[in-house]
Amino acid sequence: MANVSMRQVRKSFGATEVIHGIDIDIGDGEFAVIVGPSGCGKSTLLRMIAGLEAVTAGEVAIGDRVVNDLEPKERDVAMVFQNYGLYPHMTAFQNISYALRIARRPKAEIRERVERVARILGIEELLARKPSQLSGGQRQRVAMGRAIIREPDVFLFDEPLSNLDAKLRSQMRVEIKRLHDELKATSIFVTHDQVEAMTMADRLVVMNQGVIEQTGTPRQVYRRPGSTYVAGFIGAPAMNLLPATLSDDGAAVEGRGMGRIALPNGAGPDRSGHRVMLGVRPEHLAVVADGSGGLLAARLLYAEDLGASRLLHCAVGDDELIVHTQDETGDRPGDTLRLAADPANLHLFDAESGRRLEAVDGG
Amino acid sequence: MIKRVLFRNRLLPYLLILPEVLIVFVFFYWPSAKALFWSFTLEPPFGGFAQWVGLDNFRELFSSPEYYESAGITLIFAFWTTFISMGLALLLAIFVDRVIRGLVVYRTVLMWPYAVAAPAAAVAFQFIFQPGVGFFAFLNDIWPGIWDPNIVGADAMLMVIIAASWKSITYNFIFFLAGLQAIPRTFVEAAALDGAGPIRRFVTIVFPLLSPTFFFLLVINVTDSFTEGFGIINVMTQGGPGGATNILVYKIYQDGFIGLDLSGSSAQSVVLMALVVLLTFVQFKWIERRIHYAE
Ligand SMILES: Nc1ncnc2c1ncn2[C@@H]1O[C@H](COP(=O)(O)OP(=O)(O)OP(=O)(O)O)[C@@H](O)[C@H]1O
Ligand SMILES: [Mg+2]
């Protein structure tokens, strides 16, 4: 039983602070995914939980123990490293059994447990091989085996799939989730791939520059991004963000090239004249026939054909936006399209702080 | 991984290695061939015609108890010099690796002793180990006669071993440090998470990954101490007292250039060369098998 929590955790390397006071609570058995751009501090966060990096301030707890001053081996966590970190001079069997051998378990028990883990991962045939004789995907599995065999309270994954090709990656994604359903150990998975984040997480943690931007279920984060940063990061292609101004009564926004767009709930008159960002996802925009109203007019720049659907790159005033559509319209670059969206799918953010304005929440 | 370079000009690669080949030829193959020839002849010390004597020189050599004694001394010298300098260098490298990951300045500074010529180092150490001055004079005052490398063979041996070890520690240290720094942190961290303490991590992870460096240094150190001890011994003890530090290379020099027994010392050179080749071969054969070169 282990939940993982961090209280106001900070981390500095020398004079530069890279983690600026993070609070996080991950429940027992949860699969949490930490997502964020390169260099935002994801690995550092994970390494602080593992005990490979000391925290500068704050408190890390696993279960109900504060582990700040505990050695890595006393924390009962297992970690799968980005480059796997398999011991190159040991066979897969020796790699997987290393922790048990260090703990001086009886030989028979070691053999039995390694074989069980190898069966789960489908690597029985590979146990005699050295890492150099394994493919990327196979190494990945051995690295998982090395973590699983210890039956730890907490699993940490540091971008374990980033070295795999697209096909293997989606396969391993499913497999890791299946394993988690089986083992039910608390897992923290770090990635900068938002597809991995969306598909795997019970709880999604979006990080940016050493702070947490938002936590929630993938659905919540997708439906109600808390900031323009999250809106741009989660979902592909990214959410369209257009600068606009709140109308005097706060019930609509106006912007260049888009006319007046009524908001279902309004933003309240106290914010009239406020500069905002209007957000709408490419998949929530539709091309409608001329004259049937719609949200705004856009000039088509070019279209990308993805096979199952198309991405229409359009210009609205000086801004660009993308429409993700499955319609087969015969439009050409230069045409003016009328775009419509369900008002419930509109998002409003403060232009300065980038935070979500709750009053217009479409839910 | 082996890097291959493709040359368009067929002559160029040969031109590029020519200087090196010339140097090796003039200073190694030619003298070696000469020594090999002399070892089968009786060479008059002041020129004139050499007389072919077949294996007589070797027969004489292998029936001389003095020669075996010198060989024994060489083994002791080689073993302790290698052991001390590699052991201390490894220990120092481990300490430094913990502190200065990646700091080039220290490495450069720590390399300097290697640039000191052997005779210069020997002069310094001879001064340090003088029984009549400094620290050892103090010891000799308390326990008269406890230290005198000019008279006591064991003291002299200890002195040259220390001087020779000091000389090669830096070289070994640099290689060990580079080897340690080349080991990715992840391995050690994974082992720490797997429950291994610092000592077990070193034994099970770090040392095996360091073994190519270790093996390389072992070969270099052993062969070096067979041949390179000359500079130190020539300055400090001249093989004395009473032949206590008369290692094979020094005996070759003494017999050949002082005793003017060119043929006898040529025979010794040939044997020493064969010995070094044999040792290197044995090391490759027996130790290299257990080494894990990084993939
Ligand atoms: N040992 C260190 N010394 C100094 N700075 C460090 C150290 N480790 C990390 N940093 C800095 O801390 C910041 C966060 O690094 P971290 O490795 O946690 O990023 P990340 O989110 O894992 O990125 P990526 O997705 O590229 O792996 C970076 O700016 C990095 O330069
Ligand atoms: Mg990282």
Side-chain angles (χ1 to χ4, degrees):
Chain A
M1 294 295 102
N3 50 320
V4 175
S5 61
M6 301 183 109
R7 290 277 157 272
Q8 279 303 307
V9 168
R10 292 172 182 277
K11 175 71 190 177
S12 307
F13 291 107
T16 24
E17 191 174 80
V18 296
I19 302 280
H20 314 288
I22 273 185
D23 285 294
I24 227 177
D25 272 296
I26 294 157
D28 182 42
E30 229 175 4
F31 197 104
V33 175
I34 299 177
V35 66
S38 193
C40 72
K42 308 181 295 291
S43 298
T44 307
L45 196 68
L46 217 55
R47 293 167 58 82
M48 287 193 292
I49 298 172
L52 298 173
E53 211 79 72
V55 303
T56 308
E59 192 178 285
V60 181
I62 299 175
D64 30 20
R65 282 192 306 171
V66 174
V67 296
N68 280 28
D69 298 322
L70 294 188
E71 288 286 312
K73 64 175 175 182
E74 297 166 315
R75 299 189 180 195
D76 203 13
V77 302
M79 183 155 167
V80 178
F81 292 87
Q82 178 163 359
N83 44 10
Y84 317 133
L86 294 177
Y87 313 126
H89 56 299
M90 297 186 195
T91 62
F93 183 96
Q94 290 168 324
N95 262 285
I96 295 174
S97 62
Y98 184 78
L100 299 184
R101 287 186 288 133
I102 290 292
R104 299 189 200 283
R105 311 297 309 172
K107 277 227 164 60
E109 182 197 326
I110 292 178
R111 176 148 291 282
E112 194 222 88
R113 281 172 71 176
V114 171
E115 275 163 10
R116 196 171 61 222
V117 165
R119 225 175 9 256
I120 295 176
L121 295 166
I123 51 172
E124 295 110 311
E125 314 299 317
L126 309 175
L127 289 177
R129 297 210 203 153
K130 296 257 179 84
S132 59
Q133 302 163 315
L134 297 171
S135 74
Q138 291 168 335
R139 280 180 212 184
Q140 222 281 321
R141 273 166 226 254
V142 174
M144 298 272 300
R146 191 171 66 176
I148 291 171
I149 198 157
R150 289 176 40 207
E151 298 168 3
D153 283 345
V154 180
F155 280 111
L156 305 175
F157 300 88
D158 193 356
E159 307 201 28
L161 307 183
S162 59
N163 291 338
L164 306 181
D165 66 35
K167 180 153 170 270
L168 203 52
R169 195 183 299 186
S170 60
Q171 187 185 332
M172 285 308 295
R173 220 156 60 202
V174 176
E175 235 164 274
I176 290 176
K177 270 302 268 187
R178 183 181 57 81
L179 257 170
H180 174 252
D181 290 341
E182 223 164 275
L183 303 172
K184 301 214 167 20
T186 311
S187 303
I188 305 176
F189 187 104
V190 158
T191 179
H192 57 239
D193 180 314
Q194 58 100 16
V195 178
E196 270 168 35
M198 285 298 288
T199 54
M200 300 182 80
D202 293 332
R203 175 201 298 266
L204 190 55
V205 179
V206 185
M207 267 185 83
N208 184 27
Q209 295 183 348
V211 298
I212 290 181
E213 287 271 339
Q214 190 174 7
T215 38
T217 64
R219 191 107 286 264
Q220 283 168 346
V221 175
Y222 175 83
R223 294 293 304 173
R224 299 181 50 193
S227 64
T228 48
Y229 179 79
V230 178
F233 198 77
I234 297 294
M239 181 186 282
N240 298 303
L241 291 167
L242 300 169
T245 312
L246 271 179
S247 65
D248 289 344
D249 56 0
V253 289
E254 287 156 0
R256 249 180 315 158
M258 61 171 99
R260 183 185 159 90
I261 298 172
L263 300 169
N265 306 337
D270 50 324
R271 293 189 199 259
S272 66
H274 206 79
R275 285 182 34 249
V276 295
M277 297 295 272
L278 179 70
V280 57
R281 292 198 179 276
E283 55 271 35
H284 292 152
L285 280 169
V287 181
V288 294
D290 245 353
S292 63
L295 213 53
L296 41 82
R299 190 163 50 81
L300 181 63
L301 298 175
Y302 60 97
E304 273 181 296
D305 200 335
L306 304 178
S309 59
R310 294 191 309 152
L311 297 180
L312 309 177
H313 294 254
C314 306
V316 176
D318 292 336
D319 303 298
E320 281 195 27
L321 61 69
I322 297 178
V323 182
H324 193 180
T325 177
Q326 301 193 327
D327 297 339
E328 297 284 339
T329 50
D331 37 46
R332 313 198 120 80
D335 288 356
T336 298
L337 308 177
R338 287 216 61 83
L339 304 176
D342 182 345
N345 286 331
L346 296 180
H347 308 262
L348 216 51
F349 303 95
D350 187 286
E352 251 154 65
S353 70
R355 301 308 304 176
R356 184 182 189 84
L357 294 174
E358 282 301 330
V360 270
D361 185 330
Chain B
M1 234 197 326
I2 296 165
K3 266 200 183 153
R4 285 182 191 284
V5 184
L6 281 180
F7 289 100
R8 294 212 182 274
N9 188 332
R10 292 178 144 252
L11 211 57
L12 184 64
Y14 297 102
L15 278 174
L16 287 176
I17 60 164
L18 186 66
E20 173 73 20
V21 169
L22 271 179
I23 288 173
V24 173
F25 179 80
V26 169
F27 291 103
F28 182 72
Y29 286 113
W30 190 31
S32 303
K34 206 81 185 170
L36 192 63
F37 175 69
W38 283 0
S39 67
F40 292 104
T41 63
L42 206 51
E43 189 75 20
F46 303 108
F49 285 105
Q51 184 193 345
W52 184 266
V53 294
L55 290 173
D56 275 3
N57 289 325
F58 291 97
R59 245 175 247 131
E60 195 181 326
L61 195 62
F62 287 123
S63 60
S64 137
E66 225 179 277
Y67 186 70
Y68 289 105
E69 200 178 314
S70 172
I73 288 169
T74 309
L75 285 184
I76 293 173
F77 176 77
F79 174 82
W80 284 110
T81 308
T82 304
F83 183 80
I84 292 174
S85 75
M86 281 184 69
L88 282 183
L90 180 57
L91 202 66
L92 292 175
I94 291 169
F95 292 156
V96 172
D97 180 50
R98 303 201 127 199
V99 186
I100 53 143
R101 282 209 155 251
L103 245 169
V104 191
V105 188
Y106 284 92
R107 275 188 271 169
T108 317
V109 170
L110 290 166
M111 187 71 188
W112 282 343
Y114 187 66
V116 176
V123 168
F125 270 102
Q126 198 177 28
F127 184 69
I128 293 170
F129 284 121
Q130 273 306 312
V133 292
F135 177 66
F136 288 101
F138 172 70
L139 282 188
N140 277 333
D141 263 357
I142 302 175
W143 300 285
I146 195 164
W147 176 263
D148 195 347
N150 301 326
I151 296 169
V152 183
D155 291 359
M157 191 62 169
L158 188 61
M159 181 172 78
V160 291
I161 286 173
I162 289 174
S165 306
W166 179 85
K167 235 333 242 146
S168 50
I169 270 185
T170 55
Y171 182 82
N172 294 333
F173 169 82
I174 295 300
F175 274 85
F176 276 135
L177 185 60
L180 285 172
Q181 302 211 326
I183 297 174
R185 277 286 267 243
T186 324
F187 298 145
V188 178
E189 289 175 348
L193 281 168
D194 274 347
I199 293 177
R200 302 210 63 188
R201 289 204 292 267
F202 182 79
V203 173
T204 57
I205 309 289
V206 176
F207 191 76
L209 295 175
L210 197 60
S211 56
T213 309
F214 186 86
F215 173 68
F216 165 76
L217 287 177
L218 188 66
V219 173
I220 296 284
N221 273 266
V222 170
T223 43
D224 254 25
S225 55
F226 266 62
T227 55
E228 300 280 306
F230 179 84
I232 284 172
I233 289 190
N234 188 35
V235 169
M236 294 182 91
T237 63
Q238 293 85 42
T245 55
N246 200 12
I247 63 172
L248 288 174
V249 260
Y250 197 71
K251 189 166 153 50
I252 290 171
Y253 161 77
Q254 273 205 323
D255 292 356
F257 292 88
I258 314 267
L260 293 179
D261 174 11
L262 295 180
S263 303
S265 93
S266 292
Q268 291 180 38
S269 303
V270 170
V271 173
L272 182 63
M273 240 187 305
L275 216 65
V276 168
V277 169
L278 186 78
L279 244 159
T280 312
F281 181 76
V282 166
Q283 285 173 326
F284 270 100
K285 188 100 184 135
W286 294 102
I287 305 177
E288 199 190 20
R289 274 202 203 147
R290 318 194 42 190
I291 297 228
H292 316 278
Y293 288 100
E295 278 83 17

